Amino acid sequence: MTAVPPPAEARPWPARRLLIVALILLAAGSAAWLDLSWRGLQPGRGGWELAGRFFAGALAPAWDYEDRSGLPATAAPFLSQVIAATINTLRIALAAVSLSLVMGLALGFCACSAWWPESPRAQRGPRVLWLTARATMTFLRSVHELIWATLFLAAFGLTPLTAALAIALPYSGTLAKVFAEMCEESPEDTRIAFRSLGADPRQFYFLGLMPRVAAELCAYSLYRFECGLRSAAVLGFLGIATLGHSLSLSFENLHYREVWSYLYALLALVLVFDFWSGAVRRAMTGSANGPGRHRTRWLKLTGWALAAGIVWAWTTGGFGLDDMETARRTANLQRFGREIIPWPMQQGQGSWENVAAWAHRLLFAGPNPGLQAALNTLAMSIVAIVLAGVLAWLLLPFAARSLATPHPFVPSGARSSWPARWGWKLAVAASRCLLVFGRAVPEYVWAFVFIAFVTDQFWAAILALALHNAGILGRLGAEIIENAEAPVPVGLRTLGATRGQLLAIGLVPVSLPRFLVYFFYRWETCLREGTVLGILGVSTLGRLIKDARAADRYDEMVFFVLLGAALVFAGDMVSSLARRCLRTT
């Protein structure tokens, strides 16, 4: 008689323990590589005073300019400036994400194998298309939107279309990947039914697959709109008139109350989209309150509002090509096309030996070799994601509603005093507010702030990445714990287990595998963001890209961009392998 294997949650998890130990050792080795020390966290001269002034501004955001000296008499009121920057951020996000949807759907169709014909001979063409699409979407999403913006600025100049394209390209790669995977994981019954009716691949794709994944695709697209708001704000640091541009100007002038006004405007914008997308997802899955006609009405209203917003963005945002069709920009584009070719080839020395020597010099020679910058990026991302995971788990006991109660996993009839009830409610609200604020502010903005106060720039970048990702991992981890099956913790509670024992014995073994999947997914993002944080001066690939751009060495800039894309691609492969191992252990 064959023994029945125990459920996955009841099996021992030595592989996961080894993985956690390996992550801790990798983080320690990465910290040693970066020469991190606790002294590097200490603010420099005057840093404590600046930090105090900065965080004091959170309690009293500006309603007017802090200093009107130097402002022209015709300057718009401060609140008008905040509203204008917020509207422009929303406009660029809507235009960019709508463009990425069109590109992502087309690329996702090419990268999907679910519609292929059954005949192996007929699959040759689709297979070549599949490989090309997969390589394209991997490259697009491996390059950060700030890096894309840097490339487009060199080619086209500072225009709204530059910002929209910079966001749309990486987002289209991400949307294509998600869309293709949704289609490939759809149930086989649809394929069997359509083929039994004699439908060709295109009919099966548009009439069979598309309706099956439409709800999930719409929900994820709304999430990308939320991400687009953060990306549009960050592009302001390159001079585009969004919240990030106004924020950076106020920060450089030490007007911290103004900075917090812009931060709160960004937070409000992100929260509105977060609430809206959550309501739409609940309506699509049928979990929203109220009869079906109310859900249908809400979805129709959302669709019409988004359509109107996209039309408004494209018609009022100055995204046309007229401003780009000037002789100067044409000359810049032609020059950019010539100078992205490796230097030896520009000089007529295009042999493999000369190009290899040029690449070797960029990787290993000079005061800032490219390989060391890439390793710095990798080490920084490892320390940051491990720190984010630790911060998230420290907040989880207070953020998970099933655990943050006076009597967790006890029938609702259990009595508790009102101070205990309200104390835990306040703890839940405070922890969730911290998580929301952490993830609502982009990593680049956090790094921009921390670099002014922390003496070690690696620590500033690590704290920025850790804080933002802790907000995301904390939210996801809280949902995992709240959705965990209750029999084990309820049984432990009846045996007198404490809150800590419930978490350590009853919830961690069940929740950890899913949490680690999100952990590795966010590590991929840390690699992308860690690359771009070098634009602020941290010794990563972004710094080399910035220096090459400032010196008009476009061939070197493209080389380092490709090196960063290769690093992200390698991280994506390692992350996929780790997630696959977690699913099988």
Side-chain angles (χ1 to χ4, degrees):
M1 182 175 179
T2 305
V4 178
E9 292 82 359
R11 299 174 195 165
W13 38 292
R16 295 164 195 157
R17 291 179 179 175
L18 289 175
L19 180 59
I20 293 174
V21 172
L23 287 172
I24 294 173
L25 293 177
L26 279 174
S30 299
W33 170 267
L34 297 173
D35 197 21
L36 298 177
S37 66
W38 295 114
R39 292 183 180 179
L41 283 171
Q42 298 177 1
R45 181 178 300 177
W48 286 113
E49 180 184 353
L50 289 177
R53 288 175 54 194
F54 175 77
F55 288 106
L59 303 177
W63 296 93
D64 197 359
Y65 294 104
E66 291 190 47
D67 184 6
R68 283 188 166 273
S69 61
L71 289 176
T74 57
F78 176 72
L79 290 182
S80 297
Q81 290 282 87
V82 175
I83 294 172
T86 304
I87 290 175
N88 208 35
T89 302
L90 177 62
R91 182 187 288 118
I92 290 176
L94 287 170
V97 178
S98 62
L99 180 60
S100 71
L101 282 173
V102 177
M103 297 168 62
L105 287 172
L107 193 58
F109 169 76
C110 299
C112 176
S113 61
W115 56 269
W116 289 1
E118 292 182 338
S119 172
R121 178 174 295 181
Q123 289 181 1
R124 293 176 182 175
R127 192 175 297 276
V128 173
L129 185 65
W130 180 86
L131 289 172
T132 304
R134 286 279 171 173
T136 301
M137 72 185 193
T138 299
F139 173 71
L140 290 176
R141 65 189 180 87
S142 297
V143 181
H144 193 276
E145 48 266 22
L146 266 176
I147 304 298
W148 281 117
T150 302
L151 292 171
F152 287 132
L153 284 173
F156 302 130
L158 192 65
T159 65
L161 188 58
T162 294
L165 289 174
I167 297 174
L169 287 181
Y171 278 36
S172 63
T174 302
L175 283 166
K177 179 178 184 292
V178 172
F179 176 62
E181 291 178 352
M182 285 180 181
C183 290
E184 290 177 345
E185 294 178 3
S186 61
E188 284 290 323
D189 56 353
T190 306
R191 183 198 301 265
I192 296 172
F194 270 77
R195 285 183 175 171
S196 65
L197 296 174
D200 60 31
R202 287 176 298 179
Q203 291 172 331
F204 162 65
Y205 177 80
F206 288 107
L207 301 177
L209 281 180
M210 287 290 289
R212 292 294 293 264
V213 302
E216 294 180 3
L217 180 63
C218 291
Y220 187 78
S221 300
L222 285 173
Y223 169 71
R224 296 314 299 179
F225 272 110
E226 178 188 333
C227 297
L229 292 170
R230 290 192 288 265
S231 297
V234 166
L235 289 183
F237 287 86
L238 295 181
I240 298 168
T242 63
L243 284 167
H245 180 61
S246 302
L247 186 151
S248 63
L249 292 177
S250 296
F251 194 91
E252 290 169 358
N253 291 322
L254 305 181
H255 297 160
Y256 297 135
R257 294 176 56 224
E258 295 181 10
V259 169
W260 281 100
S261 298
Y262 292 116
L263 283 176
Y264 285 142
L266 176 60
L267 178 64
L269 203 57
V270 171
L271 286 179
V272 167
F273 260 83
D274 181 62
F275 174 79
W276 191 4
S277 62
V280 170
R281 285 194 295 270
R282 289 191 297 272
M284 285 182 172
T285 58
S287 59
N289 294 328
R293 64 177 182 274
H294 290 168
R295 292 197 299 268
T296 303
R297 189 178 304 165
W298 169 251
L299 292 176
K300 287 182 178 179
L301 176 62
T302 297
W304 282 110
L306 278 178
I310 291 170
V311 171
W312 163 76
W314 280 104
T315 54
T316 63
F319 296 106
L321 295 174
D322 295 340
D323 294 337
M324 298 175 64
E325 295 174 355
T326 62
R328 180 178 179 182
R329 289 200 173 101
T330 302
N332 285 344
L333 182 58
Q334 293 174 349
R335 177 191 172 197
F336 180 77
R338 290 192 306 268
E339 295 187 1
I340 63 174
I341 301 172
W343 176 254
M345 299 179 67
Q346 295 182 35
Q347 301 301 310
Q349 304 171 0
S351 66
W352 285 109
E353 291 80 5
N354 292 330
V355 174
W358 171 79
H360 185 275
R361 176 180 62 83
L362 294 179
L363 283 173
F364 300 103
N368 295 310
L371 182 60
Q372 181 178 347
L375 292 176
N376 289 345
T377 305
L378 176 63
M380 196 172 68
S381 68
I382 293 173
V383 177
I385 195 61
V386 171
L387 182 58
V390 172
L391 291 174
W393 274 101
L394 289 176
L395 286 175
L396 282 184
F398 308 98
R401 294 186 177 92
S402 60
L403 191 61
T405 63
H407 303 287
F409 297 100
V410 171
S412 57
R415 295 183 178 181
S416 58
S417 61
W418 70 265
R421 291 197 306 272
W422 284 101
W424 279 108
K425 287 182 179 180
L426 289 175
V428 170
S431 59
R432 288 189 169 251
C433 285
L434 289 174
L435 294 175
V436 167
F437 192 68
R439 69 176 183 268
V441 179
E443 299 96 322
Y444 195 87
V445 175
W446 282 126
F448 185 79
V449 171
F450 285 134
I451 282 176
F453 306 136
V454 179
T455 55
D456 190 327
Q457 293 186 341
F458 281 124
W459 267 123
I462 288 169
L463 289 176
L465 292 170
L467 189 59
H468 180 81
N469 285 279
I472 297 174
L473 290 175
R475 175 193 175 184
L476 296 173
E479 292 177 355
I480 293 171
I481 289 179
E482 290 174 354
N483 296 331
E485 295 183 1
V488 173
V490 169
L492 290 172
R493 190 63 171 168
T494 58
L495 296 175
T498 62
R499 190 184 307 272
Q501 291 171 334
L502 284 177
L503 181 64
I505 302 175
L507 294 173
V508 169
V510 177
S511 306
L512 187 61
R514 185 71 177 274
F515 182 85
L516 286 174
V517 171
Y518 290 131
F519 177 90
F520 281 103
Y521 169 72
R522 291 309 305 175
W523 176 57
E524 299 171 30
T525 307
C526 274
L527 271 175
R528 294 177 66 250
E529 298 292 342
T531 299
V532 78
L533 289 182
I535 294 178
L536 293 174
V538 186
S539 297
T540 63
L541 285 170
R543 181 176 179 179
L544 299 182
I545 293 170
K546 177 184 177 182
D547 293 344
R549 166 70 180 89
D552 291 339
R553 296 193 296 267
Y554 297 130
D555 56 338
E556 296 183 10
M557 180 178 70
V558 171
F559 177 84
F560 292 128
V561 168
L562 293 176
L563 181 59
L567 182 66
V568 175
F569 178 74
D572 179 53
M573 298 299 292
V574 173
S575 176
S576 298
L577 179 62
R579 291 196 297 267
R580 192 177 301 115
C581 292
L582 287 171
R583 286 195 297 266
T584 58
T585 56

